[in-house]
Amino acid sequence: MSLVGKKAPVFDAPAVINGEEIVESFSLADYIGKKEVMFFFYPKDFTFVCPTEILAFQSKLEEFEKRGVQVVGCSCDTEETHLAWLLTPKNNGGIEGVTYPLVADSSKTVANNFGVLAGDWSYTEEGDLVFDGAPVAFRGTFFIDKEGVVRHETINDLPLGRNIDEMIRVVDAWHHVQEHGEVCPANWEEGKEAMQATRDGVSKYLSAN
């Protein structure tokens, strides 16, 4: 089920912040009333597509920050594994230089509550608990407003990397809607014409485009 329009699930979990410091208690609730959040899940540390996405978010971090958006990553690895990867140079497959928080969801409860866990637990006929699927997170991305409400979500399968510029476009579109009371049509980008959510508004827009 989609989380769009609903409060983002609450959690308290360990994380690595500033690329080097482990904290035992991290929560998105700390940003409520202060910042919007781009919260993304990735499958696993020390893998292949994942570092390209994590570093791509870092390269665009200034763009998110100037829009008042906090980037936060999360996987089902431990905080110690996060830290080890953060201390590994890029030329050795690491993500050294990443400064935004990486949440450690080793219990898999955060991924499960956000609906991105790539599998689920079940019981065999003998009553044994087993996990069906992959015990990692899909590539889920959630844009959360200052009130803690999810305004956008996308979930990619494991081999499909994200377009980080699209995440920025979503932020820009949401800000435009909030500031101008207009809606953003297909392929809208900052600086392009939006439209009024009326019959005349759509007629005017379609006629001009």
Side-chain angles (χ1 to χ4, degrees), residues 38 48 64 67 74 105 116 130 152 184:
M38 190 65 71
F48 315 109
F64 285 105
R67 291 165 170 81
C74 180
D105 179 30
V116 299
V130 295
H152 169 85
C184 296

Side-chain angles (χ1 to χ4, degrees), residues 16 42-48 50-51 54 74-86 93 95 102-104 136:
V16 180
Y42 63 94
K44 203 172 183 181
D45 292 346
F46 291 99
T47 51
F48 315 109
C50 296
I54 292 168
C74 180
S75 80
C76 296
D77 299 280
T78 66
E79 59 271 32
E80 291 84 4
T81 306
H82 282 347
L83 182 59
W85 203 23
L86 285 161
I95 56 170
L102 292 182
V103 175
V136 298

Side-chain angles (χ1 to χ4, degrees), residues 131-163:
F131 192 89
D132 295 325
V136 298
F138 287 124
R139 300 184 191 281
T141 313
F142 299 83
F143 177 50
I144 304 167
D145 71 13
K146 286 185 179 180
E147 285 68 53
V149 176
V150 176
R151 295 301 176 182
H152 169 85
E153 72 174 63
T154 59
I155 302 175
N156 290 8
D157 203 352
L158 303 178
L160 304 178
R162 279 162 280 220
N163 184 327

Side-chain angles (χ1 to χ4, degrees), residues 7-203:
K7 289 279 189 177
V10 175
F11 68 84
D12 189 293
V16 180
I17 61 173
N18 303 320
E20 61 181 9
E21 179 186 353
I22 291 177
V23 294
E24 294 302 323
S25 179
F26 180 92
S27 175
L28 296 183
D30 294 339
Y31 298 111
I32 291 179
K34 302 173 184 176
K35 289 184 176 182
E36 296 161 330
V37 178
M38 190 65 71
F39 185 45
F40 75 95
F41 290 85
Y42 63 94
K44 203 172 183 181
D45 292 346
F46 291 99
T47 51
F48 315 109
V49 176
C50 296
T52 68
E53 292 188 311
I54 292 168
L55 292 167
F57 270 112
Q58 180 67 34
S59 71
K60 297 287 186 177
L61 193 59
E62 185 177 341
E63 293 298 318
F64 285 105
E65 290 177 340
K66 76 181 185 182
R67 291 165 170 81
V69 179
Q70 175 67 53
V71 174
V72 179
C74 180
S75 80
C76 296
D77 299 280
T78 66
E79 59 271 32
E80 291 84 4
T81 306
H82 282 347
L83 182 59
W85 203 23
L86 285 161
L87 297 177
T88 302
K90 296 178 187 177
N91 61 11
N92 200 26
I95 56 170
E96 186 178 36
V98 170
T99 58
Y100 55 83
L102 292 182
V103 175
D105 179 30
S106 57
S107 68
K108 302 175 180 56
T109 55
V110 182
N112 189 62
N113 289 338
F114 273 82
V116 299
L117 193 59
D120 203 355
W121 291 269
S122 63
Y123 287 93
T124 65
E125 292 181 359
E126 292 75 26
D128 295 323
L129 183 64
V130 295
F131 192 89
D132 295 325
V136 298
F138 287 124
R139 300 184 191 281
T141 313
F142 299 83
F143 177 50
I144 304 167
D145 71 13
K146 286 185 179 180
E147 285 68 53
V149 176
V150 176
R151 295 301 176 182
H152 169 85
E153 72 174 63
T154 59
I155 302 175
N156 290 8
D157 203 352
L158 303 178
L160 304 178
R162 279 162 280 220
N163 184 327
I164 310 308
D165 287 332
E166 170 62 10
M167 304 299 102
I168 294 174
R169 190 195 72 84
V170 166
V171 172
D172 287 341
W174 176 250
H175 289 175
H176 186 93
V177 169
Q178 297 302 298
E179 293 168 13
H180 301 283
E182 297 179 314
V183 293
C184 296
N187 300 322
W188 181 92
E189 295 176 345
E190 182 64 38
K192 288 188 175 181
E193 181 183 0
M195 64 184 184
Q196 294 293 325
T198 63
R199 180 176 298 218
D200 287 343
V202 70
S203 296

